[in-house]
Amino acid sequence: MNTDFCVGQYGRTPNPEWLNIDARANPNCTEVIAFRIDQRHGVAATGRLDGREEPAMTISIELQRSKWFGPVSSATAADRAAALRAARTPDEYLLAALDSFRVGDLDPKSILIDLLNTVRHQPFTDFAVRVFASVATHDDLADLETMAFLTNAAPSTVVTFAHSSTSMMSIEAVALMLGLLEDWNEDPEISEALLQAIASLVPFQAELGDSPSPDELAEHVGRAIQSTDRTAYVLYGQPAHPSLLARRLVEHASIAAASGEQLGIIVPGSLLSIWSGVDCPVDYDTQMNGDRLDAVHAYVDALSRQDWVRGAKYFYGHRL
């Protein structure tokens, strides 16, 4: 057994408006997304994504709100390739890409990045940001073209991005957060979310308090980054490892079970589910009791038997 195992959710502002930014600006441009993906990825999308229409979101509300991205499907590699070829809408592209991600095939990540930088439909974008954060590497987050979707992003997208810092686990995200904090420093909700996101990667409260000045924060972060292994993925200022989350999950579950209360936390169970591809048996609003606490212990014990590299990042059991 791995001895390391000794023991948000996400901002979302519903917005019914569908805005394909290029198509709305030019009503004659009816294949913006399909054409761009065709050209880059050789996907034969003949369907149209007309910016004058408002297609319904077909990604289920359950999946959008879930703590993970659902179980691995039984689809074969041929089935997954066919689903990408058959995709006609942003939702279909994203779900087909996600199906590949779950089995460790990250080739469609470039399609996800194109969708983030092309589609302007808030519920879709917020969900896509969550997926991207979970599969993003240091290089992805450091690439200005990839991260262009944050320029003039909607408030809910910025909050979702901030709340996804624990999924990104990369020091490269801190510079992005600092830039966004400068843009949104007059919005209390967004600035607080960004500060919490930075703290999840580079803790600063013990030294600077909860509301440091921009200069103090930038200086502190700069010093911290200089002493950090930038090849490692980090969580709560430490090299990432499931044991960090397992301890928090067990501690909260034990306290909640003793008092018969709800679990009351989401991040540990969510990240453990996404990292391992095995759904955590409890959720934020799970009413805890002895049996459910036993299920948590069994879950953590099962994860402890897997091989995990400290400072590495995983998606559904596959190291990125």
Side-chain angles (χ1 to χ4, degrees), residues 26-232:
N26 178 4
N28 294 320
C29 179
T30 59
E31 293 186 58
V32 177
I33 300 170
F35 176 77
R36 185 175 181 186
I37 293 177
D38 286 353
Q39 293 296 95
R40 289 199 179 193
H41 310 288
V43 178
T46 57
R48 280 161 170 67
L49 299 171
D50 192 335
R52 292 168 293 180
E53 298 178 356
E54 295 184 0
M57 184 87 164
T58 58
I59 298 174
S60 71
I61 294 296
E62 181 181 12
L63 181 57
Q64 291 178 60
R65 295 178 177 174
S66 175
K67 65 180 180 292
W68 70 325
F69 301 114
V72 176
S73 78
S74 59
T76 65
D79 292 335
R80 292 190 296 273
L84 275 172
R85 288 194 300 270
R88 294 295 181 270
T89 69
D91 292 5
E92 290 172 354
Y93 279 120
L94 178 53
L95 290 175
L98 184 55
D99 216 14
S100 293
F101 297 161
R102 293 191 195 102
V103 296
D105 177 8
L106 296 183
D107 285 346
K109 183 161 57 172
S110 53
I111 292 178
L112 170 60
I113 292 168
D114 276 348
L115 291 169
L116 278 170
N117 283 291
T118 307
V119 179
R120 292 295 182 267
H121 181 221
Q122 225 43 61
F124 174 89
T125 300
D126 291 349
F127 181 70
V129 166
R130 284 186 54 204
V131 176
F132 172 75
S134 296
V135 298
T137 63
H138 297 307
D139 289 342
D140 293 328
L141 294 163
D143 186 275
L144 295 180
E145 184 177 356
T146 294
M147 305 309 298
F149 68 88
L150 292 175
T151 303
N152 299 319
S156 71
T157 297
V158 176
V159 172
T160 299
F161 184 75
H163 288 176
S164 298
S165 62
T166 50
S167 296
M168 289 180 275
M169 302 186 300
S170 172
I171 291 297
E172 299 297 337
V174 176
L176 297 168
M177 301 292 182
L178 288 172
L180 289 168
L181 186 60
E182 184 176 349
D183 293 338
W184 293 92
N185 63 348
E186 295 184 1
D187 187 304
E189 178 185 356
I190 296 178
S191 60
E192 176 63 22
L194 290 166
L195 285 171
Q196 291 179 2
I198 293 170
S200 74
L201 299 171
V202 181
F204 60 80
Q205 292 98 329
E207 183 175 332
L208 304 179
D210 293 332
S211 303
S213 71
D215 289 342
E216 288 175 329
L217 183 58
E219 182 179 350
H220 176 85
V221 167
R223 289 197 307 269
I225 289 177
Q226 288 178 359
S227 61
T228 298
D229 177 3
R230 298 186 69 163
T231 66

Side-chain angles (χ1 to χ4, degrees), residues 3-27:
T3 56
D4 286 322
F5 268 84
C6 297
V7 268
Q9 179 180 351
Y10 301 96
R12 182 174 294 108
T13 302
N15 182 345
E17 181 179 11
W18 171 273
L19 175 57
N20 173 332
I21 191 166
D22 293 311
R24 278 290 174 93
N26 178 4

